[in-house]
């Protein structure tokens, strides 16, 4: 690995020398484009490289999610769940002064929080991200249920002149009702990836499978490795396929049917067409392109922010499409894409709202909670690519309480806009397909912790600080929460989310 890197460095020196040649020279015409191939590492190699760059010799282990006999089995005992009950105060500046006006929130405190999330948690979007050109690949008329629809398949081609070896083509589909009286709100789901992200895919949904528009990336990358290090791998999700995960959920119209019934449209954005879902892909995709195929710096963006960036580019397109009311674009994601959905909403002010389903650690769940999955799981080799390299520090040598921010402040970044937080019931200790791992209560507490910021901005908080009984909808304010009883799925809360969204137009 280090050989590849130093070979590239040497090549860089040669390239720099070539740039000094007269402008007419053939070689000069690469215009600074990087002609050397991207560095290739396995996720283990890049994880190790990240640790070395941070001078970390050892990380604490993630929790085991399924095997009760494992000494490292996840905690599901509420009396041990809050080792650090005092969260950072979203309304106290780093200099100790209290924030008591919206102006101070917007101009002073929110930027501090954003900077901390950028540097330590999700990483920074580089300044040099190239532009995206959206092409409508096809437009087809169809029907879903009894609604006439128009579906556009789009590809967002990223300008890769800085490193032509790395192609990024964002796959997006958009379906709108054919007879809409005007521009319609659009609910966009992170989807199009087999088994992950698509919940109930309507038959007329995106025809492409994983990586359909992503051949160059897929071709060069190793197979994506899903699954946490804690022994709860993809198998745990068997049966949570594209046609409605958590078979115990209520049978009924698909979410797309529900969206159309409101006269709205829906979209599907393929995350792995933006950035691969594994550490080996970090020198490719949009992250790799911005680094010209070199490994990440410690505060570079991870996959969650890359996926969120992709959602922002989709909004760029929607703003040009007359069928779409671009002021009302919502994002939905489940599990790892629930994390991406909350990050997308927090960072993109043009986004209307989000349905954040079972987002867990790295998403809405408080990092300081000891329940189910923890920081150490996400810092492990299978998941660290979601986050900034710096995030690894909090799994050793630092601890959870050293994080300058926590997830209630991610929710606060969304304020004053509406957001719907969701999780399911059940634990992997008791039943396969359960959702205790993602920590419904830790998610609820993040919503509670954002309350003061919503109130400061003249909005309503969750309405209670008491964790509600399962299936109790909290949606009287601008932060909504509901824990459903169907395990690791987003199906049951769709109607509640859509209703909440429609009340916040
Ligand atoms: C694992 C991981 C979660 C993640 C989930 C998924 O369970 O621990 O953080 O949300 O995979 O995305 O499927």
């Amino acid at each position: 690995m280090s050989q590849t890197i130093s070979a590239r460095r040497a090549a860089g020196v040669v390239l720099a020398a070539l740039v000094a040649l007269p402008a007419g020279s053939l070689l000069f015409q690469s215009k600074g484009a990087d002609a050397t191939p991207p560095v290739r590492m396995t996720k283990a190699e890049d994880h190790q490289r990240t640790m070395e760059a941070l001078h970390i010799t050892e990380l604490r282990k993630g929790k085991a999610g399924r095997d009760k006999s494992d000494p490292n089995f996840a905690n599901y005992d509420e009396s041990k769940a809050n080792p650090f009950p005092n969260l950072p105060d979203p309304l106290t500046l780093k200099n100790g002064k209290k924030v008591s006006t919206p102006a101070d929130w917007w101009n002073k405190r929110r930027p501090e929080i954003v900077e901390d999330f950028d540097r330590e948690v999700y990483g920074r979007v580089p300044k040099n991200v190239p532009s995206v050109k959206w092409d409508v690949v096809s437009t087809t008329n169809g029907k879903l249920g009894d609604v006439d629809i128009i579906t556009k398949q789009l590809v967002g081609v990223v300008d890769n002149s800085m490193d032509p070896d790395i192609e990024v083509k964002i796959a997006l589909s958009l379906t709108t009702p054919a007879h809409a009286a005007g521009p319609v709100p659009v609910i966009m789901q992170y989807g199009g990836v087999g088994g992950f992200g698509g919940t109930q895919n309507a038959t007329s949904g995106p025809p492409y499978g994983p990586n359909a528009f992503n051949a160059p990336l897929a071709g060069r990358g190793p197979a994506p490795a899903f699954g946490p290090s804690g022994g709860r791998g993809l198998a745990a999700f068997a049966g949570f396929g594209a046609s409605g995960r958590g078979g115990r959920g209520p049978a009924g119209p698909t979410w797309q049917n529900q969206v159309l019934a409101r006269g709205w449209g829906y979209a599907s954005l393929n995350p792995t067409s933006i950035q691969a879902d594994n550490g080996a892909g970090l020198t490719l995709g949009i992250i790799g392109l911005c680094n010209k195929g070199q490994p990440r710096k410690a505060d570079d963006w991870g996959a969650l922010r890359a996926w969120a960036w992709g959602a922002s580019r989709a909004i760029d397109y929607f703003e040009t499409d007359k069928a779409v009311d671009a002021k009302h674009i919502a994002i939905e994601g489940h599990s790892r894409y629930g994390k991406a959905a909350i990050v997308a909403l927090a960072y993109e002010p043009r986004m209307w709202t989000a349905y954040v389903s079972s987002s867990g650690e790295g998403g809405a769940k408080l990092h300081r909670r000891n329940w189910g999955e923890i920081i150490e799981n996400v810092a492990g080799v299978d998941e660290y690519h979601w986050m900034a390299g710096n995030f690894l520090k909090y799994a050793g040598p630092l601890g959870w309480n050293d994080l300058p921010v926590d997830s209630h402040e991610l929710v606060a970044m969304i304020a004053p806009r509406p957001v719907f937080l969701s999780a399911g019931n059940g634990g992997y200790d008791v039943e396969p397909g359960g959702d205790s791992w993602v920590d419904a209560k830790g998610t609820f507490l993040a919503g509670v912790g954002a309350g003061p910021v919503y109130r400061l901005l003249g909005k309503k908080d969750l309405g209670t600080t008491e964790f509600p009984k399962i299936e109790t909808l909290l949606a009287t304010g601008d932060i909504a929460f509901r824990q459903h009883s169907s395990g690791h799925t987003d199906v049951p809360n769709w109607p509640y989310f859509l209703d909440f969204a429609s009340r916040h137009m």
Side-chain angles (χ1 to χ4, degrees):
M1 155 189 77
S2 54
Q3 246 172 6
T4 334
I5 297 176
S6 48
R8 267 175 77 79
R9 276 203 197 109
V13 173
V14 174
L15 206 72
L18 288 174
V19 172
L21 288 173
S25 119
L26 198 68
L27 282 162
F28 184 71
Q29 283 163 14
S30 67
K31 278 194 249 151
D34 196 316
T36 50
V39 171
R40 298 314 317 265
M41 281 177 287
T42 64
K43 60 185 175 180
E45 284 169 342
D46 183 62
H47 188 258
Q48 182 61 35
R49 183 201 62 79
T50 306
M51 283 175 60
E52 281 163 18
L54 295 166
H55 309 290
I56 296 173
T57 47
E58 211 184 332
L59 293 177
R60 295 183 298 274
K61 266 183 72 180
K63 294 291 184 187
R66 302 194 93 183
D67 180 4
K68 264 188 159 167
S69 65
D70 191 317
N72 214 29
F73 184 63
N75 177 57
Y76 292 115
D77 173 354
E78 189 55 41
S79 72
K80 298 185 185 134
N82 302 296
F84 306 109
N86 298 321
L87 300 177
D89 182 353
L91 292 180
T92 300
L93 288 164
K94 291 205 184 266
N95 67 12
K97 289 218 174 85
K98 294 269 179 234
V99 171
S100 55
T101 64
D104 277 357
W105 165 255
W106 290 113
N107 303 328
K108 295 181 183 161
R109 182 57 180 147
R110 192 177 185 279
E112 286 182 351
I113 290 171
V114 171
E115 167 60 23
D116 285 340
F117 275 111
D118 276 1
R119 195 184 59 250
E120 303 298 313
V121 183
Y122 298 113
R124 301 179 197 282
V125 175
K127 297 217 161 55
N128 68 341
V129 193
S131 61
V132 176
K133 192 177 149 294
W134 284 103
D135 290 329
V136 180
V137 178
S138 67
T139 305
T140 47
N141 289 282
K143 231 177 176 28
L144 185 69
D146 42 24
V147 182
D148 292 326
I149 53 174
I150 300 173
T151 297
K152 292 175 184 144
Q153 302 294 342
L154 293 124
V155 54
V157 182
V158 180
D159 175 358
N160 67 341
S161 50
M162 66 198 283
D163 193 342
D165 277 332
I166 302 174
E167 274 185 32
V168 184
K169 295 182 176 174
I170 307 173
L172 172 70
S173 82
L174 167 68
T175 299
T176 49
H179 311 300
V184 297
V186 168
I187 312 292
M188 175 162 59
Q189 180 180 64
Y190 280 115
V193 187
F196 277 89
T199 46
Q200 313 146 303
N201 286 325
T203 38
S204 63
Y208 46 78
N211 299 320
F213 287 117
N214 200 24
L217 191 63
R220 292 209 242 105
F226 291 111
S229 36
R232 187 172 146 270
L234 187 57
F237 294 94
F240 294 89
S243 54
R245 282 179 268 196
R248 291 171 296 137
T254 66
W255 72 269
Q256 291 96 334
N257 287 122
Q258 296 173 48
V259 165
L260 288 177
R262 291 181 183 271
W264 300 352
Y266 57 86
S268 170
L269 176 66
N270 184 333
T272 58
S273 69
I274 303 161
Q275 185 60 43
D277 190 12
N278 58 75
L282 287 169
T283 53
L284 300 171
I286 190 64
I287 296 174
L289 177 60
C290 293
N291 283 331
K292 299 185 181 181
Q294 287 293 316
R296 290 193 301 171
K297 296 181 294 300
D299 64 347
D300 272 351
W301 48 346
L304 295 178
R305 276 213 78 185
W307 295 336
W309 169 86
S312 294
R313 301 294 68 78
I315 294 186
D316 296 345
Y317 166 76
F318 294 140
E319 287 179 336
T320 69
D321 190 320
K322 290 193 178 61
V324 175
D325 168 7
K327 295 224 162 16
H328 290 102
I329 307 297
I331 184 106
E332 191 270 351
H334 173 67
S335 207
R336 68 197 60 197
Y337 300 133
K339 307 180 208 296
I342 190 169
V343 173
L345 181 63
Y347 276 97
E348 175 53 81
R350 293 173 298 168
M351 191 91 73
W352 165 35
T353 183
Y355 172 12
V356 178
S357 173
S358 297
S359 62
E361 173 53 36
K365 179 210 165 172
L366 291 176
H367 296 287
R368 282 165 175 75
R369 282 269 297 178
N370 181 24
W371 182 287
E373 62 176 327
I374 56 172
I375 287 180
E376 285 78 351
N377 289 89
V378 171
V381 71
D382 291 322
E383 301 180 359
Y384 77 103
H385 62 279
W386 294 337
M387 316 299 281
N390 272 333
F391 188 71
L392 267 65
K393 294 186 300 193
Y394 301 94
L398 301 179
W400 307 348
N401 207 27
D402 294 313
L403 263 177
V405 280
D406 211 318
S407 304
H408 62 305
E409 290 166 306
L410 185 67
V411 180
M413 274 169 63
I414 297 167
R417 293 165 296 154
V419 59
F420 189 102
L421 306 175
S422 167
N425 72 321
Y428 281 90
D429 50 337
V430 284
E431 47 171 336
D435 209 23
S436 259
W437 184 245
V438 310
D439 190 7
K441 183 163 179 187
T443 303
F444 164 81
L445 290 173
V448 171
V453 177
Y454 274 78
R455 291 196 301 272
L456 178 71
L457 300 181
K459 295 288 174 172
K460 281 195 185 150
D461 61 18
L462 266 170
T464 179
T465 56
E466 200 92 350
F467 187 53
K469 254 185 62 200
I470 192 156
E471 293 187 330
T472 305
L473 175 69
L474 301 178
T476 53
D478 297 271
I479 310 168
F481 174 83
R482 184 173 183 273
Q483 183 184 20
H484 62 70
S485 57
S486 302
H488 194 62
T489 172
D490 57 0
V491 173
N493 276 345
W494 269 108
Y496 299 96
F497 164 66
L498 293 175
D499 190 53
F500 171 74
S502 73
R503 287 189 289 107
H504 289 271
M505 298 228 20

